[in-house]
Short mmCIF file of all heavy atoms in Angstrom, two decimals:
data_model
loop_
_atom_site.label_atom_id
_atom_site.label_comp_id
_atom_site.label_asym_id
_atom_site.label_seq_id
_atom_site.Cartn_x
_atom_site.Cartn_y
_atom_site.Cartn_z
N ALA O 23 38.04 50.76 15.97
CA ALA O 23 38.63 51.47 17.11
C ALA O 23 39.74 52.36 16.56
O ALA O 23 40.88 51.91 16.43
CB ALA O 23 39.16 50.50 18.15
N GLY O 24 39.39 53.57 16.17
CA GLY O 24 40.36 54.43 15.50
C GLY O 24 40.71 53.83 14.17
O GLY O 24 39.84 53.62 13.33
N ALA O 25 41.98 53.50 13.95
CA ALA O 25 42.43 52.88 12.71
C ALA O 25 42.53 51.37 12.81
O ALA O 25 42.94 50.71 11.87
CB ALA O 25 43.76 53.49 12.29
N LEU O 26 42.17 50.80 13.97
CA LEU O 26 42.18 49.35 14.15
C LEU O 26 40.81 48.78 13.85
O LEU O 26 39.79 49.41 14.10
CB LEU O 26 42.53 48.98 15.60
CG LEU O 26 43.97 49.03 16.02
CD1 LEU O 26 44.09 48.70 17.51
CD2 LEU O 26 44.82 48.06 15.21
N LEU O 27 40.79 47.55 13.34
CA LEU O 27 39.56 46.81 13.16
C LEU O 27 39.63 45.52 13.95
O LEU O 27 40.70 44.93 14.10
CB LEU O 27 39.34 46.47 11.68
CG LEU O 27 39.12 47.63 10.73
CD1 LEU O 27 39.07 47.11 9.28
CD2 LEU O 27 37.83 48.36 11.07
N GLY O 28 38.50 45.08 14.47
CA GLY O 28 38.44 43.83 15.20
C GLY O 28 37.03 43.31 15.23
O GLY O 28 36.12 43.87 14.60
N VAL O 29 36.83 42.24 15.99
CA VAL O 29 35.52 41.60 16.10
C VAL O 29 35.16 41.48 17.57
O VAL O 29 35.97 40.99 18.38
CB VAL O 29 35.53 40.22 15.43
CG1 VAL O 29 34.22 39.49 15.63
CG2 VAL O 29 35.83 40.36 13.94
N ALA O 30 33.94 41.91 17.91
CA ALA O 30 33.47 41.82 19.29
C ALA O 30 33.35 40.35 19.69
O ALA O 30 32.72 39.56 18.98
CB ALA O 30 32.12 42.52 19.44
N LEU O 31 33.96 39.99 20.81
CA LEU O 31 33.92 38.61 21.27
C LEU O 31 32.69 38.31 22.12
O LEU O 31 32.38 37.15 22.39
CB LEU O 31 35.19 38.27 22.05
CG LEU O 31 36.47 38.34 21.21
CD1 LEU O 31 37.70 38.07 22.08
CD2 LEU O 31 36.41 37.34 20.06
N LYS O 32 32.00 39.37 22.55
CA LYS O 32 30.75 39.24 23.30
C LYS O 32 29.95 40.50 23.04
O LYS O 32 30.45 41.46 22.46
CB LYS O 32 31.02 39.05 24.79
CG LYS O 32 31.68 40.25 25.45
CD LYS O 32 31.84 40.06 26.94
CE LYS O 32 32.30 41.36 27.59
NZ LYS O 32 32.17 41.33 29.02
N ASP O 33 28.68 40.48 23.43
CA ASP O 33 27.87 41.70 23.32
C ASP O 33 28.50 42.80 24.16
O ASP O 33 28.95 42.54 25.28
CB ASP O 33 26.44 41.45 23.81
CG ASP O 33 25.67 40.48 22.94
OD1 ASP O 33 26.10 40.22 21.80
OD2 ASP O 33 24.62 39.98 23.40
N ILE O 34 28.52 44.02 23.62
CA ILE O 34 29.05 45.17 24.34
C ILE O 34 27.98 46.25 24.34
O ILE O 34 27.82 46.98 23.36
CB ILE O 34 30.36 45.71 23.72
CG1 ILE O 34 31.38 44.59 23.48
CG2 ILE O 34 30.95 46.79 24.62
CD1 ILE O 34 32.61 45.03 22.70
N PRO O 35 27.22 46.37 25.42
CA PRO O 35 26.20 47.43 25.48
C PRO O 35 26.85 48.81 25.40
O PRO O 35 28.00 49.00 25.79
CB PRO O 35 25.54 47.21 26.85
CG PRO O 35 25.88 45.80 27.23
CD PRO O 35 27.22 45.53 26.62
N ASP O 36 26.08 49.78 24.89
CA ASP O 36 26.57 51.15 24.80
C ASP O 36 27.02 51.62 26.18
O ASP O 36 26.32 51.40 27.18
CB ASP O 36 25.48 52.06 24.25
CG ASP O 36 25.99 53.47 24.02
OD1 ASP O 36 27.11 53.62 23.52
OD2 ASP O 36 25.25 54.42 24.35
N GLY O 37 28.19 52.23 26.25
CA GLY O 37 28.72 52.74 27.50
C GLY O 37 29.51 51.72 28.30
O GLY O 37 30.10 52.06 29.32
N GLU O 38 29.54 50.47 27.85
CA GLU O 38 30.26 49.41 28.56
C GLU O 38 31.58 49.10 27.86
O GLU O 38 31.83 49.52 26.74
CB GLU O 38 29.40 48.15 28.63
CG GLU O 38 28.08 48.34 29.36
CD GLU O 38 28.26 48.57 30.86
OE1 GLU O 38 29.15 47.93 31.47
OE2 GLU O 38 27.52 49.40 31.41
N THR O 39 32.43 48.29 28.53
CA THR O 39 33.69 47.84 27.97
C THR O 39 33.60 46.36 27.68
O THR O 39 33.05 45.60 28.48
CB THR O 39 34.84 48.10 28.97
OG1 THR O 39 34.91 49.51 29.23
CG2 THR O 39 36.18 47.63 28.43
N GLY O 40 34.13 45.96 26.53
CA GLY O 40 34.10 44.54 26.16
C GLY O 40 35.34 44.17 25.36
O GLY O 40 36.12 45.03 24.95
N SER O 41 35.47 42.88 25.12
CA SER O 41 36.64 42.34 24.43
C SER O 41 36.43 42.33 22.93
O SER O 41 35.42 41.85 22.42
CB SER O 41 36.91 40.91 24.91
OG SER O 41 37.18 40.91 26.30
N VAL O 42 37.45 42.83 22.20
CA VAL O 42 37.44 42.86 20.75
C VAL O 42 38.73 42.22 20.26
O VAL O 42 39.82 42.67 20.60
CB VAL O 42 37.32 44.31 20.22
CG1 VAL O 42 37.49 44.35 18.71
CG2 VAL O 42 35.99 44.91 20.63
N ALA O 43 38.61 41.14 19.46
CA ALA O 43 39.78 40.48 18.88
C ALA O 43 40.28 41.32 17.71
O ALA O 43 39.51 41.63 16.80
CB ALA O 43 39.42 39.08 18.41
N VAL O 44 41.55 41.70 17.75
CA VAL O 44 42.14 42.48 16.66
C VAL O 44 43.09 41.63 15.83
O VAL O 44 43.73 42.14 14.92
CB VAL O 44 42.86 43.75 17.19
CG1 VAL O 44 41.86 44.73 17.79
CG2 VAL O 44 43.96 43.40 18.17
N ASP O 45 43.16 40.33 16.13
CA ASP O 45 44.03 39.41 15.41
C ASP O 45 43.29 38.09 15.25
O ASP O 45 42.78 37.54 16.22
CB ASP O 45 45.33 39.21 16.18
CG ASP O 45 46.34 38.36 15.46
OD1 ASP O 45 46.22 38.17 14.23
OD2 ASP O 45 47.28 37.87 16.11
N GLY O 46 43.19 37.61 14.03
CA GLY O 46 42.53 36.33 13.77
C GLY O 46 41.69 36.40 12.51
O GLY O 46 41.58 37.45 11.87
N VAL O 47 41.10 35.25 12.15
CA VAL O 47 40.27 35.16 10.96
C VAL O 47 38.83 34.98 11.38
O VAL O 47 38.51 34.09 12.18
CB VAL O 47 40.72 33.98 10.06
CG1 VAL O 47 39.81 33.86 8.83
CG2 VAL O 47 42.18 34.14 9.64
N PHE O 48 37.94 35.82 10.83
CA PHE O 48 36.53 35.78 11.17
C PHE O 48 35.69 35.89 9.91
O PHE O 48 36.07 36.58 8.96
CB PHE O 48 36.17 36.95 12.10
CG PHE O 48 36.82 36.87 13.44
CD1 PHE O 48 38.10 37.38 13.65
CD2 PHE O 48 36.16 36.29 14.51
CE1 PHE O 48 38.72 37.30 14.88
CE2 PHE O 48 36.77 36.21 15.76
CZ PHE O 48 38.04 36.71 15.95
N ALA O 49 34.55 35.20 9.88
CA ALA O 49 33.56 35.34 8.81
C ALA O 49 32.72 36.56 9.13
O ALA O 49 32.05 36.61 10.17
CB ALA O 49 32.70 34.09 8.73
N VAL O 50 32.77 37.56 8.25
CA VAL O 50 32.12 38.84 8.50
C VAL O 50 31.35 39.30 7.26
O VAL O 50 31.55 38.77 6.16
CB VAL O 50 33.16 39.91 8.91
CG1 VAL O 50 33.79 39.57 10.26
CG2 VAL O 50 34.23 40.06 7.85
N PRO O 51 30.46 40.28 7.41
CA PRO O 51 29.66 40.75 6.27
C PRO O 51 30.52 41.30 5.12
O PRO O 51 31.54 41.94 5.34
CB PRO O 51 28.79 41.85 6.87
CG PRO O 51 28.71 41.52 8.32
CD PRO O 51 30.05 40.94 8.67
N LYS O 52 30.02 41.02 3.90
CA LYS O 52 30.66 41.49 2.67
C LYS O 52 29.61 42.22 1.84
O LYS O 52 28.45 41.83 1.84
CB LYS O 52 31.20 40.30 1.88
CG LYS O 52 31.81 40.63 0.54
CD LYS O 52 32.08 39.33 -0.21
CE LYS O 52 31.65 39.25 -1.62
NZ LYS O 52 30.63 40.04 -2.17
N VAL O 53 30.03 43.25 1.15
CA VAL O 53 29.14 43.96 0.25
C VAL O 53 28.80 43.03 -0.91
O VAL O 53 29.70 42.55 -1.60
CB VAL O 53 29.79 45.26 -0.27
CG1 VAL O 53 28.91 45.91 -1.32
CG2 VAL O 53 30.07 46.22 0.88
N SER O 54 27.53 42.73 -1.12
CA SER O 54 27.10 41.88 -2.23
C SER O 54 27.30 42.63 -3.54
O SER O 54 27.19 43.86 -3.60
CB SER O 54 25.63 41.51 -2.05
OG SER O 54 25.22 40.65 -3.08
N GLY O 55 27.64 41.89 -4.58
CA GLY O 55 27.85 42.51 -5.88
C GLY O 55 29.30 42.78 -6.20
O GLY O 55 29.61 43.25 -7.29
N THR O 56 30.18 42.49 -5.29
CA THR O 56 31.61 42.70 -5.50
C THR O 56 32.35 41.41 -5.17
O THR O 56 32.21 40.88 -4.06
CB THR O 56 32.16 43.82 -4.60
OG1 THR O 56 31.41 45.01 -4.83
CG2 THR O 56 33.62 44.08 -4.86
N ALA O 57 33.13 40.90 -6.09
CA ALA O 57 33.95 39.72 -5.83
C ALA O 57 35.23 40.16 -5.11
O ALA O 57 35.76 41.24 -5.39
CB ALA O 57 34.30 39.02 -7.13
N ILE O 58 35.69 39.33 -4.19
CA ILE O 58 36.93 39.62 -3.47
C ILE O 58 37.86 38.42 -3.65
O ILE O 58 37.48 37.29 -3.37
CB ILE O 58 36.67 39.87 -1.96
CG1 ILE O 58 35.77 41.10 -1.78
CG2 ILE O 58 37.99 40.04 -1.22
CD1 ILE O 58 35.42 41.39 -0.32
N ALA O 59 39.07 38.67 -4.13
CA ALA O 59 40.06 37.62 -4.33
C ALA O 59 40.80 37.32 -3.03
O ALA O 59 40.97 38.20 -2.18
CB ALA O 59 41.06 38.05 -5.42
N GLN O 60 41.25 36.09 -2.90
CA GLN O 60 42.06 35.73 -1.73
C GLN O 60 43.30 36.60 -1.68
O GLN O 60 43.96 36.83 -2.69
CB GLN O 60 42.47 34.26 -1.81
CG GLN O 60 43.24 33.78 -0.59
CD GLN O 60 43.58 32.31 -0.68
OE1 GLN O 60 43.90 31.79 -1.74
NE2 GLN O 60 43.48 31.63 0.44
N GLY O 61 43.59 37.14 -0.52
CA GLY O 61 44.75 37.99 -0.33
C GLY O 61 44.54 39.43 -0.73
O GLY O 61 45.47 40.25 -0.63
N ALA O 62 43.34 39.77 -1.17
CA ALA O 62 43.07 41.13 -1.62
C ALA O 62 43.08 42.13 -0.48
O ALA O 62 42.66 41.82 0.64
CB ALA O 62 41.72 41.20 -2.33
N ALA O 63 43.56 43.33 -0.79
CA ALA O 63 43.41 44.45 0.14
C ALA O 63 41.92 44.78 0.18
O ALA O 63 41.27 44.86 -0.86
CB ALA O 63 44.21 45.64 -0.34
N VAL O 64 41.38 44.92 1.36
CA VAL O 64 39.94 45.16 1.50
C VAL O 64 39.69 46.51 2.16
O VAL O 64 40.58 47.10 2.78
CB VAL O 64 39.26 44.04 2.32
CG1 VAL O 64 39.26 42.74 1.53
CG2 VAL O 64 39.90 43.86 3.68
N VAL O 65 38.45 46.97 2.01
CA VAL O 65 37.99 48.22 2.61
C VAL O 65 36.82 47.89 3.51
O VAL O 65 35.88 47.22 3.08
CB VAL O 65 37.56 49.23 1.54
CG1 VAL O 65 36.99 50.49 2.18
CG2 VAL O 65 38.71 49.56 0.61
N PHE O 66 36.87 48.34 4.77
CA PHE O 66 35.73 48.22 5.67
C PHE O 66 34.88 49.46 5.51
O PHE O 66 35.32 50.57 5.79
CB PHE O 66 36.19 48.08 7.13
CG PHE O 66 35.04 48.05 8.10
CD1 PHE O 66 34.18 46.97 8.15
CD2 PHE O 66 34.82 49.10 8.97
CE1 PHE O 66 33.11 46.94 9.04
CE2 PHE O 66 33.76 49.08 9.86
CZ PHE O 66 32.90 48.00 9.91
N LYS O 67 33.66 49.27 5.00
CA LYS O 67 32.74 50.37 4.77
C LYS O 67 32.05 50.71 6.09
O LYS O 67 31.25 49.93 6.59
CB LYS O 67 31.70 50.01 3.71
CG LYS O 67 32.29 49.57 2.36
CD LYS O 67 33.18 50.61 1.74
CE LYS O 67 32.37 51.66 1.03
NZ LYS O 67 33.20 52.68 0.38
N ALA O 68 32.39 51.85 6.66
CA ALA O 68 31.85 52.25 7.96
C ALA O 68 30.34 52.38 7.94
O ALA O 68 29.66 52.02 8.91
CB ALA O 68 32.49 53.56 8.41
#
C-alpha cells in the first residue's frame, strides 16, 4: 500500500475493501536461493 507493507487478514476481492495487518510477524514467501539472516534488512520483490 504505497510504501507500507502488510498482510491481508481475509480475502479481498478486486474493487473491495479489506483488512491488512501492517504490524506483526507473519510467515510469507521468500525467494529461493537466497539465505536471509535474522534481523536482516529485506526487500519485497513486487
Side-chain angles (χ1 to χ4, degrees):
L26 282 177
L27 295 174
V29 175
L31 296 177
K32 64 176 189 167
D33 293 344
I34 310 172
D36 185 42
E38 299 291 322
T39 300
S41 299
V42 172
V44 294
D45 185 17
V47 178
F48 294 86
V50 294
K52 176 189 133 337
V53 174
S54 183
T56 304
I58 298 178
Q60 184 177 38
V64 292
V65 176
F66 176 69
K67 304 302 279 181

